[in-house]
Structures are given as structure tokens and as C-alpha cells.
Amino acid sequence: MSALPFPEVAASSRRNRDHQISLTEIDVHFEHQDTSMKLRTNAVYPAEAVLVTSEIGPPDGQPVLLSHPLLMGPQMFEPLMERLAARGYRAITWNHRGHGSNTPPKRERHPEVSLTLLTAQAADVVKGLNLHKPHFVGQGLGGMVGLRLAAWRPDLIASLTTIASSAETEPHREAITSLADHIEKHGMTGELDLGSGTTPVVKLLSHASFGAWTQNNQPELVTAWEQRFARLARIAPSMRAFAARESVIQDLHGCSVPVLSIAGAEDIVYPPPISGAAIATTTGGQYVTIARAGHSVALEQPDAVVSHLEHQFASADPIHGF
């Protein structure tokens, strides 16, 4: 698959009456299909921010919002976007606060980043793009945003699928905070001991992100993401917000949004009892566990994820589902 040219720079400050502009259209050719698709890039303007969105698939297709995890950004959804677009869905993603084009400028010494803010910005994307009941898919941090959206603004989405996520407080809070402190002082260089021996920072992230099967059988994928991890900048505020989040379990009682929680069988960050069963129990939803996948399930096993997404969408929205 050809890499999708996601925007890495902030959008223009130009605005139209609806606070939405179309920035670019770029031809994208996929190796596994005969059709050519365009990556369409737009922007919405909530207070004090510019949210750049990227999408592929038919403009009139059922919209699917893809909410990315901590550290990885929208690029991690390339395999899912290709597959969803090929099935007729309008696949849309954007940068959360602290990532890519939504990174606070250096003049903000203490930028605001919180799960509440990220959830509000997700709602801004739905409203700014004039989306009617999109399906929401979130991995890791993105799933936490989705859980809060389902709890606080269930009227905005047709369904929620969380991938390798959690509704609970962070069990690794101390380790993540220590890692954020190190990154803020030294960047992505150097080594850190989080209790299991001294390890290079990039390798710590890689080990947490990918399961053993992927590390052994897809080394090129792991290496590509290690190179991306090494280029991360100003990510510490997002890491601290992630680590300090509160539980959303109480808010999800009586959840009216259909929820599917997907767990990676080899996930060492949020094992299946946390990322699968616990979320399903809290929301009254369903859960599945995908083999040969760690914490980055959507990257490691995209075909399996898309298969489950199609069933979820059809169940939640039989008019648009396939």
C-alpha cells in the first residue's frame, strides 16, 4: 500500500462562513485495488484551534471517524482507511491535541491537554464536517475519547468501537509519567529503567506497541514505527494527560450507544480483560479478542479488525451497514 500523504503542517488560517475549508486533494493509488482514490484534507475551527482532518472513500459514504492512539497519530490508520474506503465507507481521521498538525506551539510552555478537551474536539469534528451519526472507531487514547463521547454526547455517533483501550484509570501512571519527564528533558534519545532493566526509549515504545508475533514476523513494520517514534516532539503534555485521566466507568452506565471492544491477545498494556471484557461489561456491549496482535491491533491485524467493524456497523446501522 502506498503511504497516505497525511498533512504534517498546520492548516491555513483561512476560514469560510461555516468554519470549514477544503485544503487539498491528492491522488492516492492502492496496490490491492484497481481504483484511484483521493485523500481529501479539510479543517474545522473550534475555539483556539485548527483541526486538520484527512479522509478517503466516497464523499457520500457512511462516515467512519478514526480516533488515533497516543504517540502514533493518524498514520497508524492507513491500513484501515484503505480497507474501509474500498468497502464504500467515508473514512475520516484527524490529529489529537499534542500530535502532528495539532501540536501546541513552543510559546505555550504549559499547553492544555486533557481527555475532556480531546473529547470536545472530537465532537467539533463531527459538527464541523456536518456528519450525521458517524461510526466512531478509536484505538488506545482514541478509544478513551470515544468512550467519553458515547457517555457525554451519545446523540452524535451511531456506534463506538474501541481497540486496545480502557475505561479505567491508568494502571501504568507512574511509568508513563517518568517516561514523559525523560522525553521532555532529553527527547527520544537515551535509555530509561521502568523496572525491567535499562532500555532505549524508542525500544520501550516499540515493545509496548507491538505483540510478539508482529515483532517476529513483521520486523519492517516495527522498524518503520521505531523511526517515527524517534522523531516525536513535544509529546510529554499528552502523555501526562493520558496518565492522569479519570475513570469513565460511572458515566458509561446505561450507555445507549452500541459498543464493540476489540482486544489484542498479546497486548501487554491493556490485556483482554481490560480492553475487551471490562469495557463490554461497563457499556453493555460486545467484545472480541484478535490473535497475533499486541497493543497496535489496527496495524498488526487490519483484515481481522475490518471484518469485526463491518459486523458492528451492520448491527448498529442496518441501513448503511454491509
Side-chain angles (χ1 to χ4, degrees):
M1 183 186 74
S2 300
L4 301 181
F6 288 99
E8 294 294 341
V9 296
S12 162
S13 60
R14 292 174 296 138
R15 306 183 182 211
N16 70 6
R17 184 175 301 173
D18 296 324
H19 304 292
Q20 175 187 340
I21 57 174
S22 178
L23 298 177
T24 61
E25 278 198 345
I26 305 168
D27 282 322
V28 180
H29 297 270
F30 296 122
E31 294 176 0
H32 304 300
Q33 61 189 69
D34 296 329
T35 60
S36 170
M37 292 193 179
K38 292 183 182 294
L39 182 77
R40 301 179 299 277
T41 307
N42 297 286
V44 296
Y45 297 90
E48 304 296 326
V50 177
L51 301 178
V52 179
T53 67
S54 301
E55 62 177 79
I56 58 171
D60 60 350
Q62 175 69 357
V64 179
L65 286 180
L66 297 152
S67 177
H68 69 76
L70 182 71
L71 304 175
M72 282 189 155
Q75 292 85 354
M76 75 91 54
F77 284 127
E78 289 176 11
L80 284 190
M81 292 182 76
E82 172 192 4
R83 289 159 174 79
L84 288 169
R87 289 161 172 80
Y89 292 100
R90 178 186 174 190
I92 306 165
T93 188
W94 74 101
N95 277 300
H96 288 307
R97 173 78 162 169
H99 293 76
S101 58
N102 200 5
T103 299
K106 291 183 178 181
R107 66 176 178 272
E108 292 188 37
R109 297 187 62 186
H110 303 288
E112 178 192 358
V113 183
S114 68
L115 266 293
T116 299
L117 175 62
L118 299 187
T119 304
Q121 291 191 340
D124 287 327
V125 170
V126 176
K127 293 180 287 185
L129 294 180
N130 297 314
L131 302 179
H132 176 68
K133 290 284 188 176
H135 296 291
F136 195 100
V137 179
Q139 171 140 345
L141 170 66
M144 296 167 192
V145 170
L147 287 167
R148 285 156 177 79
L149 198 63
W152 302 339
R153 289 301 309 270
D155 57 301
L156 291 181
I157 56 177
S159 74
L160 168 64
T161 301
T162 65
I163 306 172
S165 195
S166 172
E168 305 168 18
T169 56
E170 178 52 53
H172 311 291
R173 178 176 296 190
E174 184 176 340
I176 294 173
T177 301
S178 295
L179 182 57
D181 291 344
H182 174 93
I183 291 173
E184 190 166 63
K185 294 177 181 177
H186 308 291
M188 304 304 295
T189 62
E191 299 179 336
L192 193 63
D193 186 354
L194 296 179
S196 57
T198 301
T199 307
V201 168
V202 168
K203 289 295 182 182
L204 281 172
L205 299 179
S206 176
H207 179 67
S209 298
F210 298 103
W213 188 90
T214 301
Q215 293 182 42
N216 292 330
N217 293 276
Q218 295 183 285
E220 69 288 344
L221 175 65
V222 176
T223 298
W225 277 97
E226 287 179 347
Q227 292 171 349
R228 284 176 168 169
F229 291 150
R231 296 194 297 269
L232 286 173
R234 287 181 57 75
I235 197 67
S238 296
M239 297 177 69
R240 292 195 183 96
F242 178 87
R245 70 181 185 277
E246 297 180 354
S247 168
V248 74
I249 290 174
Q250 291 296 324
D251 293 355
L252 285 165
H253 287 168
C255 178
S256 61
V257 175
V259 176
L260 171 66
S261 51
I262 297 177
E266 300 175 1
D267 191 349
I268 63 172
V269 179
Y270 303 132
I274 294 175
S275 56
I279 293 176
T281 299
T282 297
T283 61
Q286 304 294 319
Y287 75 94
V288 295
T289 300
I290 293 181
R292 297 179 173 181
H295 190 58
S296 302
V297 190
L299 271 174
E300 297 173 272
Q301 297 295 338
D303 289 321
V305 171
V306 167
S307 177
H308 290 297
L309 289 180
E310 287 194 280
H311 286 294
Q312 165 75 339
F313 298 165
S315 175
D317 187 356
I319 295 176
H320 294 286
F322 287 79

